[in-house]
Amino acid sequence: MSEKARAFYANIARRRTVRDFDNAQVPREVLEQCLLAAGTAPSGANQQPWFFTVITDASIKRKIREAAEAEEREFYAERAPLEWLEALTPLGTDPNKPFLEDAPALIAIFAQKYGVRADGSRFSHYYVPESVGIATGFLIAALHEAGLATLTHTPSPMGFLNTICGRPKSEKPVILLIVGYPKADCQVPVYGGVKKTLADISSWL
């Protein structure tokens, strides 16, 4: 058990968020298996209140980029507090998001606010944010295990994803996960890269 725990930590500790993606295609089967892994996550009342839309079509990725960058321009120019902008400055981010077209796959992650029965009636979902967050963590870990890089992108608001992806109003887009291979010259910012120690993140009672 200890060996397995150490091996998992050693592997997942290699994971890095990247913003420069190669356009090499990812086999569909790989993405499907990772989605199946995400679907094994625990959820409130086992209702699995998530939906994943995988986007690989270049024209649709272009539409998503245009919509996301419009929100990002407004965020950087008007909505973002100064403290947030100062925190982002060392990372070199700005409203331009070329990775939304460069990366071979985007995965739009939706939270299902409620369920719909066959007769059209609604029923409640429970612990939706927690459940979708856990499933997303499973998905990121699975993609890393498969040898892929990811970036969690969260333009706000993201209602445009419902329209572009054809998802109902009962679903709220929460994360746009960018998936692919890092470019050969891809760099990861050092800023903020030092992980907290075990003592910083945990205690024993």
Side-chain angles (χ1 to χ4, degrees):
M1 292 171 64
S2 294
E3 289 179 2
K4 288 182 178 180
R6 289 192 183 96
F8 180 80
Y9 170 66
N11 183 37
I12 203 67
R14 294 175 52 252
R15 190 208 64 79
R16 294 292 183 275
T17 295
V18 304
R19 291 177 173 81
D20 298 308
F21 287 85
D22 189 271
N23 60 9
Q25 296 302 300
V26 175
R28 177 168 174 157
E29 182 185 5
V30 172
L31 297 176
E32 288 177 342
Q33 291 302 311
C34 291
L35 291 170
L36 286 170
T40 69
S43 61
N46 194 31
Q47 291 178 328
Q48 305 160 56
W50 47 66
F51 192 88
F52 306 95
T53 297
V54 182
I55 303 104
T56 58
D57 182 273
S59 64
I60 299 177
K61 288 193 293 181
R62 178 65 184 176
K63 290 180 181 178
I64 289 175
R65 179 182 179 181
E66 290 173 349
E69 287 185 340
E71 295 295 349
E72 292 289 272
R73 284 192 294 272
E74 186 174 340
F75 167 79
Y76 278 88
E78 301 177 18
R79 296 202 306 262
L82 180 60
E83 184 178 16
W84 195 342
L85 293 176
E86 290 175 346
L88 291 173
T89 298
L91 299 176
T93 61
D94 59 35
N96 300 306
K97 308 299 177 184
F99 50 74
L100 293 173
E101 287 191 274
D102 294 342
L106 311 177
I107 302 178
I109 302 172
F110 295 86
Q112 297 177 331
K113 293 178 283 187
Y114 54 85
V116 181
R117 298 185 180 89
D119 63 3
S121 62
R122 299 181 182 181
F123 61 91
S124 298
H125 280 164
Y126 304 97
Y127 300 105
V128 174
E130 296 86 348
S131 301
V132 177
I134 295 169
T136 299
F138 274 36
L139 178 57
I140 291 171
L143 291 164
H144 172 73
E145 177 71 19
L148 295 166
T150 57
L151 167 66
T152 52
H153 183 47
T154 53
S156 180
M158 286 192 283
F160 61 85
L161 286 174
N162 291 78
T163 301
I164 295 174
C165 298
R167 301 308 304 166
K169 292 182 179 180
S170 59
E171 297 181 356
K172 177 183 178 181
V174 292
I175 293 175
L176 188 56
L177 192 65
I178 292 80
V179 181
Y181 306 98
K183 284 185 177 179
D185 59 350
C186 177
Q187 295 183 339
V188 177
V190 174
Y191 173 79
V194 178
K195 297 297 183 183
K196 294 181 178 179
T197 67
L198 184 61
D200 292 327
I201 66 171
S202 65
S203 65
W204 296 74
L205 300 177

